[in-house]
Amino acid sequence: MRSKLLAAPYLLWMALFAIIPLCVVLYFAFTDFYTGAFTLANIIKLADYLPIFAKSVWLALISSVICLIIGYPVAYYIAGRSPLWQRLLYMLVMLPMCMSFLLRTMAWVAMLEDTGIINSVVKAIGLQPLPLIRNDAAVILGMVYNYLPYMIMPLYTVIMKIDRSLIEAAQDLGCNSSQVFRGVILPLSLPGIISGFTMVFVPAISTFYISQKLGSPGTTLIGDVIESQFKTAYNPNLGAALSLGLMVIVFICVAIMNRFSTDDDEGGVVTL
Amino acid sequence: MAKELIRLVNCQMAFDDEIVLDSINLYINDKEFLTLLGPSGCGKTTTLRIIGGFLQPTSGDVLFDGERINDVPPHRRKVNTVFQKYALFPHLDVYDNIAFGLRIAKLPEDEVDRRVTEMLGIVSLKGFEDRKISSLSGGQQQRVAIARALVNRPKVLLLDEPLGALDLRLRKDMQNELKRIQQAMGITFIYVTHDQEEALSMSDTIVVMDKGKIQQIGRPEDIYNEPKNAFVADFIGESNILDGIMRADRLVEFFGRKFVCVDSGFEKDEPVDVVIRPEDIDIVAPDAGHLCGTVTSVTFKGVHYDTIVDFKGFKWLIQTTDFCPEGSVIGIRLNPEDIHIMHKSEYSGMFGDYSSYSAEYDEIADPEYTEEEDDSESREEERNEE
Ligand SMILES: Nc1ncnc2c1ncn2[C@@H]1O[C@H](COP(=O)(O)OP(=O)(O)OP(=O)(O)O)[C@@H](O)[C@H]1O
Ligand SMILES: [Mg+2]
């Protein structure tokens, strides 16, 4: 009873700022811009945007995987330091997040553009300028750079909590260090991998700013399209339908990822 | 028959300048059941961790079969451990926990299955194969930990209080079972326990430790009957420990009386600690005893009564099946073989007194030795030092 009472403000918040907006989105997605009558036209139109959806999923997926590959060793390293170093390194990881997201992305533009810092150096030593910006790689770089801390945080938390005695037990039972990793550390950090993956994937799939600044027209992502529906094309009904489509995709992806963890909880074995 | 397997040479362990193990010298024979016994924090787990390879001694050597293994990592040692805190894998079920080591050793799966199933039977956990570790009780977890180590049939098994979480009945069963397995499979056991009864009944050799030092090594009977100092005498069983003076070989004086004993090899007039086990004391009529005192408390313990008797201020514990009511006056007799003499040690005066001591006592009937009553002064001084 008491706990219900304590949760009341949050429930109210949820109702005001999550459920009601969702209803508004649903309303717009299924109505006509001019008449306001019910229509499936917006939803049907989503089919035109399938390639963009696919591209968004693809780039977000690649970014998440790269974040995992970079982030896991970093998190593992930090978790193994002394408490003082842990705090220091963790701060260092978090530090970029203290700066504006826009500023960070703009900084990359300044570095990568044809007349940017890197290419100035390249030109100064007499080479052709490199195509560093306005391509997929630059967008992925922007995503990885911006969202990497979201991968490291949950991984670090989970790895840090792994009981050292379990590692000793595995060694005692004959595991060399790579077997300890595969048999004990990796399976026990699976929850961290899943939440880190989710925390990178979800913002990456819906981003619009990164792709606008670092990408080309060919790397237009679903977030960009949604933004333009509200700001330039002024078709909020299609925008709402696109948002809905994005939401469904995110839900599906998160559900798939969570299956991994629940499977494991039910006694799945990671083979050595 | 006894071939030496493991030897610790002058092992010292320090954590940030705090010495927790001090010059440990110890050897363990092949197929031996050796127990490390001592109070909490005395360094038992640390000793095991050094043998298991999880700690490097600050100085000193660890030898296995005559070879120095200080730098051999745990996974390359022919040793398995039952950890004090179990350290079971939470992401695996009971079966996979027990099978872990066998799978690492790449045994064929049918062999794994055979051995795990056999082990589950031994620790009475048949039917628990698919249970998650977190759903087990402490005692069940402890038995999984035993099974997980034992199933590998190691040359040496380190057991860190492996039965601590079990109830008395299950504990006794598991004691027998472990002892049986140890003998049947010829495994060397290095066993850690707080429980002196467990140590006495299971071990070939007992190592009594305190404050990071070995106090005594010996067979259970020797440790019990011939404790080296007041600490050992008190930790292994109950003891009345008195100040005495060795007047000659096989002649000790305490309580202002001289008693014949069986110990020799002490200096003449050397101050000593005298141990008298509470179960060795014979209660007789007040006028027929060597000493005579008043019963101040009686506690029923099942097999016997714990009777505290006041011998003019110094209280003794006597364990007897005869009920002597509180307030009654009794006499006691001591046979020579019931009196055990120890050299003075840093532990003298710290143990074996069942009361606050009073230096005053009256003379009572002493059948054998009545002369020489002049040294009560010096005894008093000794005690007052503490
Ligand atoms: N990693 C460590 N750092 C600092 N001190 C330690 C460390 N490990 C053990 N100690 C200290 O070493 C001493 C011996 O510890 P140990 O665990 O060997 O005791 P124990 O005999 O096993 O006790 P118990 O019966 O309670 O398990 C203790 O005082 C403990 O605080
Ligand atoms: Mg311990």
Side-chain angles (χ1 to χ4, degrees):
Chain A
M1 232 29 244
R2 271 191 80 85
S3 62
K4 239 184 211 162
L5 217 66
L6 287 172
Y10 179 70
L11 292 176
L12 193 70
W13 176 273
M14 285 277 288
L16 276 178
F17 297 105
I19 310 289
I20 293 174
L22 190 66
C23 295
V24 175
V25 168
L26 280 169
Y27 171 77
F28 273 92
F30 288 100
T31 51
D32 186 77
F33 179 61
Y34 297 104
T35 61
F38 175 81
T39 174
L40 285 175
N42 298 319
I43 304 296
I44 290 162
K45 223 170 167 199
L46 286 184
D48 298 346
Y49 294 93
L50 269 183
I52 294 180
F53 273 114
K55 177 126 199 159
S56 301
V57 171
W58 179 237
L59 290 189
L61 209 61
I62 292 178
S63 307
S64 307
V65 170
I66 294 175
C67 279
L68 179 62
I69 292 169
I70 299 174
Y72 197 98
V74 174
Y76 188 78
Y77 177 81
I78 298 176
R81 297 309 102 193
S82 68
L84 188 73
W85 273 108
Q86 281 188 25
R87 244 171 294 155
L88 215 76
L89 291 168
Y90 190 70
M91 285 255 298
L92 225 56
V93 168
M94 303 277 292
L95 202 59
M97 292 173 68
C98 304
M99 241 172 310
S100 158
F101 174 80
L102 305 180
L103 207 66
R104 276 179 282 156
T105 310
M106 287 312 291
W108 273 110
V109 173
M111 284 208 284
L112 299 178
E113 63 191 351
D114 296 342
T115 54
I117 297 168
I118 296 175
N119 272 325
S120 308
V121 175
V122 170
K123 267 186 263 179
I125 56 173
L127 297 171
Q128 282 295 311
L130 303 167
L132 297 174
I133 202 166
R134 314 251 160 269
N135 52 34
D136 288 2
V139 175
I140 291 171
L141 175 79
M143 288 179 177
V144 170
Y145 177 76
N146 277 306
Y147 302 130
L148 187 59
Y150 296 110
M151 177 63 84
I152 295 177
M153 279 191 302
L155 279 175
Y156 162 76
T157 314
V158 167
I159 295 172
M160 192 190 58
K161 283 204 193 118
I162 294 177
D163 191 351
R164 264 218 64 83
S165 67
L166 295 180
I167 296 169
E168 289 187 355
Q171 289 173 329
D172 187 76
L173 294 164
C175 289
N176 59 30
S177 32
S178 83
Q179 285 168 321
V180 170
F181 182 76
R182 278 177 292 151
V184 177
I185 298 172
L186 195 59
L188 287 178
S189 43
L190 204 61
I193 294 174
I194 285 161
S195 65
F197 210 89
T198 311
M199 284 172 72
V200 172
F201 183 81
V202 172
I205 198 177
S206 53
T207 187
F208 58 92
Y209 192 74
I210 295 174
S211 48
Q212 277 169 20
K213 291 294 159 194
L214 295 169
S216 64
T219 52
T220 301
L221 299 183
I222 201 65
D224 302 312
V225 179
I226 295 171
E227 193 211 12
S228 68
Q229 294 311 318
F230 287 96
K231 285 174 112 177
T232 49
Y234 206 68
N235 188 350
N237 299 68
L238 181 58
L242 288 164
S243 303
L244 210 60
L246 180 61
M247 211 151 72
V248 170
I249 289 174
V250 167
F251 275 143
I252 290 170
C253 292
V254 170
I256 290 172
M257 282 184 271
N258 281 331
R259 265 218 71 78
F260 280 110
S261 67
T262 40
D263 273 0
D264 182 67
D265 277 350
E266 264 132 47
V269 184
V270 175
T271 45
L272 299 157
Chain B
M1 151 247 155
K3 183 177 142 289
E4 178 184 311
L5 192 62
I6 295 176
R7 181 180 280 270
L8 301 181
V9 187
N10 260 323
C11 277
Q12 198 202 55
M13 190 71 224
F15 294 112
D16 320 310
D17 296 336
E18 190 205 334
I19 294 178
V20 297
L21 280 185
D22 198 7
S23 52
I24 299 290
N25 283 292
L26 179 65
Y27 67 89
I28 299 132
N29 286 329
D30 197 14
K31 303 188 179 36
E32 185 173 8
F33 194 126
L34 180 133
T35 299
L36 301 178
L37 179 64
S40 185
C42 72
K44 304 182 295 291
T45 300
T46 306
T47 309
L48 278 199
R49 287 170 61 78
I50 287 174
I51 298 171
F54 303 110
L55 276 180
Q56 300 258 335
T58 317
S59 66
D61 292 328
V62 186
L63 307 181
F64 190 95
D65 250 346
E67 264 173 66
R68 188 174 180 276
I69 57 162
N70 285 38
D71 306 317
V72 177
H75 71 272
R76 304 241 310 276
R77 297 193 183 191
K78 292 175 198 135
V79 172
N80 281 130
T81 309
V82 180
F83 291 90
Q84 187 167 10
K85 291 173 192 141
Y86 320 148
L88 299 173
F89 302 121
H91 59 296
L92 302 178
D93 61 16
V94 169
Y95 184 98
D96 291 322
N97 260 282
I98 300 175
F100 194 92
L102 300 176
R103 286 182 176 149
I104 289 293
K106 302 221 159 37
L107 260 66
E109 201 58 30
D110 56 336
E111 167 85 358
V112 171
D113 190 57
R114 209 176 48 69
R115 276 167 65 170
V116 172
T117 308
E118 179 199 33
M119 214 61 234
L120 281 165
I122 288 174
V123 297
S124 330
L125 284 177
K126 278 233 161 72
F128 284 75
E129 288 86 345
D130 301 329
R131 290 278 289 272
K132 286 179 64 174
I133 296 303
S134 56
S135 74
L136 299 180
S137 75
Q140 289 163 343
Q141 292 187 18
Q142 197 155 40
R143 283 178 282 155
V144 176
I146 293 171
R148 186 181 65 174
L150 205 52
V151 76
N152 302 291
R153 300 181 185 159
K155 193 138 182 57
V156 181
L157 189 63
L158 311 179
L159 303 100
D160 201 344
E161 301 189 27
L163 308 180
L166 305 185
D167 63 84
L168 193 64
R169 182 66 196 277
L170 193 54
R171 199 182 168 97
K172 291 267 182 274
D173 290 348
M174 284 300 295
Q175 283 175 3
N176 293 335
E177 193 60 28
L178 283 177
K179 185 78 189 165
R180 187 187 67 71
I181 292 169
Q182 188 256 337
Q183 284 168 342
M185 312 211 310
I187 303 176
T188 306
F189 269 36
I190 304 180
Y191 194 97
V192 163
T193 179
H194 285 108
D195 180 343
Q196 40 119 350
E197 209 179 294
E198 188 168 287
L200 290 171
S201 62
M202 295 176 82
S203 324
D204 299 321
T205 306
I206 294 180
V207 178
V208 185
M209 297 176 66
D210 185 46
K211 295 185 191 148
K213 292 202 185 82
I214 293 179
Q215 303 297 330
Q216 188 169 1
I217 305 179
R219 297 183 310 125
E221 292 88 341
D222 298 341
I223 298 268
Y224 190 85
N225 294 329
E226 314 275 327
K228 262 200 185 132
N229 61 33
F231 174 80
V232 178
D234 187 72
F235 197 74
I236 314 286
E238 299 283 350
S239 299
N240 299 293
I241 304 175
L242 322 158
D243 283 331
I245 294 189
M246 213 54 188
R247 288 304 181 197
D249 276 357
R250 289 177 285 279
L251 186 62
V252 63
E253 178 179 325
F254 56 90
F255 265 26
R257 293 283 161 276
K258 289 196 173 137
F259 291 88
V260 174
C261 60
V262 293
D263 299 88
S264 57
F266 293 82
E267 313 230 338
K268 185 166 159 42
D269 296 338
E270 180 182 334
V272 290
D273 286 332
V274 180
V275 178
I276 296 159
R277 293 289 187 186
E279 71 275 15
D280 288 341
I281 299 168
D282 297 328
I283 295 183
V284 293
D287 51 354
H290 296 154
L291 297 168
C292 172
T294 317
V295 176
T296 61
S297 95
V298 185
T299 315
F300 180 59
K301 282 293 168 81
V303 183
H304 60 256
Y305 294 96
D306 269 2
T307 308
I308 303 285
V309 184
D310 186 343
F311 292 103
K312 305 291 175 192
F314 192 97
K315 286 188 179 153
W316 289 32
L317 172 68
I318 299 175
Q319 290 173 341
T320 171
T321 49
D322 306 327
F323 176 71
C324 306
E326 232 176 275
S328 60
V329 177
I330 58 168
I332 57 160
R333 288 194 70 86
L334 298 170
N335 301 317
E337 62 275 13
D338 298 335
I339 300 171
H340 172 65
I341 312 293
M342 310 181 298
H343 289 288
K344 285 273 173 196
S345 68
E346 55 171 316
Y347 295 105
S348 297
M350 288 163 63
F351 301 106
D353 185 356
Y354 291 87
S355 66
S356 53
Y357 173 75
S358 154
E360 292 162 35
Y361 39 81
D362 298 337
E363 307 301 344
I364 47 163
D366 184 323
E368 274 110 20
Y369 296 95
T370 41
E371 71 283 338
E372 289 183 54
E373 299 299 335
D374 51 41
D375 55 64
S376 50
E377 292 285 51
S378 66
R379 266 200 316 280
E380 230 165 67
E381 274 159 25
E382 257 165 50
R383 286 208 177 271
N384 290 342
E385 272 168 27
E386 269 104 48

